């Protein structure tokens, strides 16, 4: 059943070619005094099926807002969003969204947190706990399966949130700074893991990160955003990880530094303007 | 990893044993000492007529009455009546109130409409309703249960409703992004995240239920600790009044402890949070 429906969805996306299409997206909020806060000026972006794209941009420019719109949690003020070829009205569960905060449910044990999405899908307890345990074992968290989140470190919690997103087996994965609370080594290991999973299962991934190196090491493309109100400033075609087979090799490649300098320059100007 | 855990556990239990034993004994011995001294002074004062035992009672008199009331079965009957009415009223009022408070999460309109009524009822000392309730439902157990239910209902409702307002909207968003229905969000986010508020109302409510039942028994009843105290007071039988008051104290403590134990059961995650903070 599960496989069939996933198959059906990917057939649709093959025809369309784009996993996500943002057309002329604008978004503003109102503050307490009813003043308009323009957050997204205009984003038009096509994210191809099975692509890995990273979004880098200054803090507070509207990256998480863009994710909320793609996930169907927020309506854009103007513009059109298509996910897997369909207009998005509300969330469907096809998009796995790992939010910026490691949002674990404090009243659920780790294994219950990981199996949350599967529970919503209506899987039986046995099925979902088997899947969750597999993932937990793989990421060295099996010992903590029955602990409550409050007893885990920040890095561990972030890993649990990541596992929860992966365990859902979504077509598209949105990762909002998923590695920010991890130490450098774990980060590198997890980057490789994620790349492996995405490659093996043919997923589309969008990653928000402040770490330019991470974006270069993992992405097919990188979109650099401007200061708020934001739009796409530049798109880089990278693809080192796919070409060379791993993020590690991408980091060692001579083109890595060129990308780094260019992207840094793009961002640097904006930080300069900010202060 | 396992090694570390085992080491931690054994260390904890050693610490506990070391820390707990000596202060535990010292504290309780001191408490016992205070009580014995107090009783001895009281008894002596009554015996030597420094105080009027007719107006204050005396430990030996209280003891005699306790034995008499236990042997006649009256203490048991009265205590049972009070405890039964309290627990039943508490359970009915708290559960019904919590359920309705939670369900108001579904409809903001309904919540807004009934808000002033709830506030008005909440401000009213529920015991003022006792004469009416007793006229309508008689002076038996039933009216006491109703009284205790009313006394606990509003507190439970308000508390649960407040709980639904403290929900982390990010958790709701996360549930939505997983494609869940409103019912699923209610069950998996609204209820558990309001539970600490509901439980804290329980702790207040067990006291409110007891007050309501005792108050009702004062006004009109055929049994209960409240009636025992009230009748003995009218007869200036102070020793019996003391038996009633002390039994009531014991009942209150036991009920409170039971509800607190329930708290650890129902919200274990709060417990592990506390343990980590310690
Ligand atoms: N619901 C909201 N109401 C009002 N303002 C909002 C709301 N959500 C976001 N904003 C504002 O929109 C701007 C962009 O927020 P957003 O979280 O998208 O930034 P970001 O790029 O993800 O930043 P960071 O890199 O720090 O995570 C911020 O100034 C924020 O205050
Ligand atoms: Mg953000």
């Amino acid at each position: 059943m599960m496989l069939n429906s996933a198959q059906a969805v990917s057939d649709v996306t093959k025809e369309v070619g784009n996993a996500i299409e943002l057309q002329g997206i604008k978004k503003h909020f109102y503050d307490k005094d009813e003043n308009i806060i323009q957050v997204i000026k205009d984003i038009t972006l096509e994210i191809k099926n099975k692509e890995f794209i990273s979004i880098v941009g200054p803090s507070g420019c509207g990256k998480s807002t863009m994710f909320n719109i793609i996930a169907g949690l927020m309506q854009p003020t103007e513009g059109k969003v298509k996910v897997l070829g369909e207009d998005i009205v509300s969330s469907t569960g096809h998009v796995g969204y790992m939010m910026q905060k490691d949002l674990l449910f404090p009243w659920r044990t780790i294994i219950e947190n990981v199996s949350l999405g599967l529970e919503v899908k209506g899987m039986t307890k046995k099925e979902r706990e088997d899947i969750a345990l597999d993932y937990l074992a793989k990421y060295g968290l099996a010992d903590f399966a029955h602990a409550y989140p409050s007893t885990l470190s920040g890095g561990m919690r972030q890993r649990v949130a990541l596992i929860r997103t992966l365990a859902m087996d979504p077509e598209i994965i949105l990762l909002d700074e998923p590695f920010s609370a991890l130490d450098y080594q774990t980060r590198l290991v997890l980057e490789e893991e994620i790349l492996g999973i995405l490659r093996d299962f043919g997923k589309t991934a969008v990653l928000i990160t402040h770490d330019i190196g991470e974006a270069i090491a993992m992405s097919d493309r990188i979109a650099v955003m401007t200061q708020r109100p934001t739009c796409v400033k530049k798109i880089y075609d990278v693809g080192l990880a796919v070409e060379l087979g791993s993020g590690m090799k991408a980091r060692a490649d001579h083109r890595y530094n060129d990308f780094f300098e260019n992207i840094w320059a793009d961002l640097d100007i904006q930080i300069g303007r900010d202060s | 990893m396992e090694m570390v855990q085992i080491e931690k556990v054994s260390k904890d239990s050693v610490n506990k044993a070391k820390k707990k034993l000596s202060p535990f004994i010292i504290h309780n011995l001191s408490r016992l000492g205070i009580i014995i001294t107090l009783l001895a002074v009281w008894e002596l004062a009554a015996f030597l007529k420094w105080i009027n035992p007719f107006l204050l009672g005396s430990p030996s008199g209280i003891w005699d009455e306790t034995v008499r009331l236990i042997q006649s079965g009256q203490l048991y009957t009265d205590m049972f009546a009070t405890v039964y009415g309290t627990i039943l009223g508490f359970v009915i009022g708290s559960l019904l109130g919590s359920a309705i408070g939670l369900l108001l999460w579904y409809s903001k309109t309904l919540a807004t409409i009934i808000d002033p009524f709830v506030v008005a009822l909440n401000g009213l000392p529920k015991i003022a309703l006792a004469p009416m309730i007793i006229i309508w439902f008689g002076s038996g157990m039933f009216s006491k249960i109703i009284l205790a239910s009313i006394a606990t209902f509003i507190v439970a409702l308000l508390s649960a409703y407040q709980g639904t307002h403290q929900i982390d909207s990010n958790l709701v968003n996360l549930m939505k992004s997983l494609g869940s229905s409103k019912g699923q969000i209610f069950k998996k986010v609204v209820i558990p995240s309001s539970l600490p508020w509901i439980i804290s109302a329980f702790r207040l409510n067990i006291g409110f239920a007891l007050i309501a039942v005792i108050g009702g028994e004062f006004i009109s009843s055929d049994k209960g600790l409240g009636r025992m105290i009230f009748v003995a007071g009218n007869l200036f039988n102070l020793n019996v009044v003391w038996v009633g008051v002390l039994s009531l104290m014991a009942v209150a403590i036991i009920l409170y402890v039971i509800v607190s134990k329930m708290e650890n059961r129902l919200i274990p995650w709060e417990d592990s949070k506390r343990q980590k903070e310690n």
Side-chain angles (χ1 to χ4, degrees), chain A residues 63-64 100 176-177:
Chain A
K63 302 180 296 293
S64 297
Q100 193 161 5
D176 196 344
E177 299 187 36

Side-chain angles (χ1 to χ4, degrees), chain A residues 198-253:
Chain A
L198 297 174
R199 206 181 308 124
D200 293 349
F201 296 96
K203 309 270 180 212
T204 308
V206 192
L207 169 77
I208 292 177
T209 178
H210 279 121
D211 182 338
I212 301 171
E214 182 173 285
I216 300 167
M218 295 181 80
S219 313
D220 299 319
R221 290 194 298 161
I222 298 175
V224 183
M225 313 296 289
T226 68
Q227 211 46 268
R228 196 187 80 196
T230 199
C231 59
V232 180
K233 179 175 187 181
K234 225 175 199 177
I235 293 184
Y236 290 85
D237 282 306
V238 184
L240 294 180
V242 171
E243 184 189 319
L244 303 169
S246 87
M248 271 305 194
K249 285 181 186 148
R251 282 177 193 268
D253 194 83

Side-chain angles (χ1 to χ4, degrees), chain B:
Chain B
M1 190 133 296
E2 243 162 39
M3 289 260 295
V4 173
Q5 260 178 334
I6 290 164
E7 202 180 88
K8 189 165 171 282
V9 166
S10 62
K11 224 183 186 175
D12 274 357
S13 52
V14 169
N15 273 349
K16 236 181 226 164
K18 244 194 243 164
K19 249 193 250 160
K20 246 190 177 170
L21 224 63
S22 50
F24 180 81
I25 289 176
I26 292 172
H27 289 161
N28 280 316
L29 278 181
S30 314
R31 286 173 187 144
L32 200 67
I34 293 173
I35 293 173
I36 289 174
T37 313
L38 223 75
L39 288 178
V41 171
W42 186 2
E43 183 65 33
L44 194 69
F47 182 72
L48 298 174
K49 304 282 180 212
W50 293 344
I51 57 168
N52 185 347
F54 180 70
L55 288 181
L56 282 167
S58 70
S60 59
I62 295 170
W63 176 254
D64 290 344
E65 289 295 349
T66 309
V67 172
R68 185 181 66 79
L69 288 169
I70 287 175
Q71 276 170 354
S72 72
Q74 199 203 329
L75 186 62
Y76 171 78
T77 314
D78 284 333
M79 208 186 241
F80 180 79
T82 300
V83 170
Y84 187 77
T86 303
I87 291 181
L88 226 62
F90 164 78
V91 169
I92 293 171
S94 299
L95 288 188
L96 218 62
S98 306
I100 292 177
L102 285 174
L103 286 171
L104 282 177
W105 172 80
Y106 270 99
S107 169
K108 194 144 177 60
T109 322
L110 185 62
T112 313
I113 292 171
I114 69 164
D115 184 67
F117 301 119
V118 173
V119 171
L121 271 179
N122 187 43
L124 177 77
K126 277 20 136 234
I127 201 70
L129 300 173
M132 249 187 311
I133 301 288
I134 286 169
I135 290 169
W136 292 339
F137 299 103
S139 59
M141 180 79 77
F142 190 57
S143 61
K144 312 301 178 295
I145 295 171
I146 301 262
L147 262 173
S149 305
I150 293 175
T152 51
F153 174 79
I154 296 288
V155 176
L157 188 152
L158 274 177
S159 220
Y161 183 62
Q162 240 160 39
T164 66
H165 278 265
Q166 314 287 332
I167 296 169
D168 184 349
S169 61
N170 285 313
L171 291 182
V172 175
N173 273 340
L174 179 77
M175 287 295 286
K176 282 186 189 157
S177 84
L178 295 172
S180 48
S181 63
K182 204 161 182 190
Q184 281 174 323
I185 293 175
F186 182 71
K187 205 173 120 201
K188 297 188 204 302
V189 180
V190 176
I191 294 181
S193 105
S194 309
L195 220 54
W197 272 267
I198 292 174
I199 302 284
S200 76
F202 282 4
R203 241 180 300 144
L204 292 175
N205 268 344
I206 195 71
F208 289 151
L210 194 57
I211 293 172
V213 168
I214 296 293
E217 286 171 357
F218 272 12
I219 292 169
S220 168
S221 62
D222 44 16
K223 36 182 178 317
L225 288 175
R227 176 179 173 277
M228 178 193 229
I229 293 168
F230 191 72
V231 171
N234 282 342
L235 299 174
F236 281 82
N237 190 345
L238 265 295
N239 286 325
V240 175
V241 171
W242 273 112
V243 176
V245 169
L246 293 174
S247 309
L248 200 53
M249 210 142 85
V251 166
I253 291 172
I254 290 167
L255 289 179
Y256 189 83
V257 168
I258 291 173
V259 170
S260 300
K261 282 270 176 311
M262 232 164 62
E263 177 171 354
N264 295 345
R265 271 289 170 77
L266 286 174
I267 43 179
W269 64 91
E270 295 280 328
D271 206 36
S272 67
K273 211 191 296 178
R274 270 196 298 276
Q275 274 172 13
K276 199 187 181 189
E277 275 158 13
N278 285 344

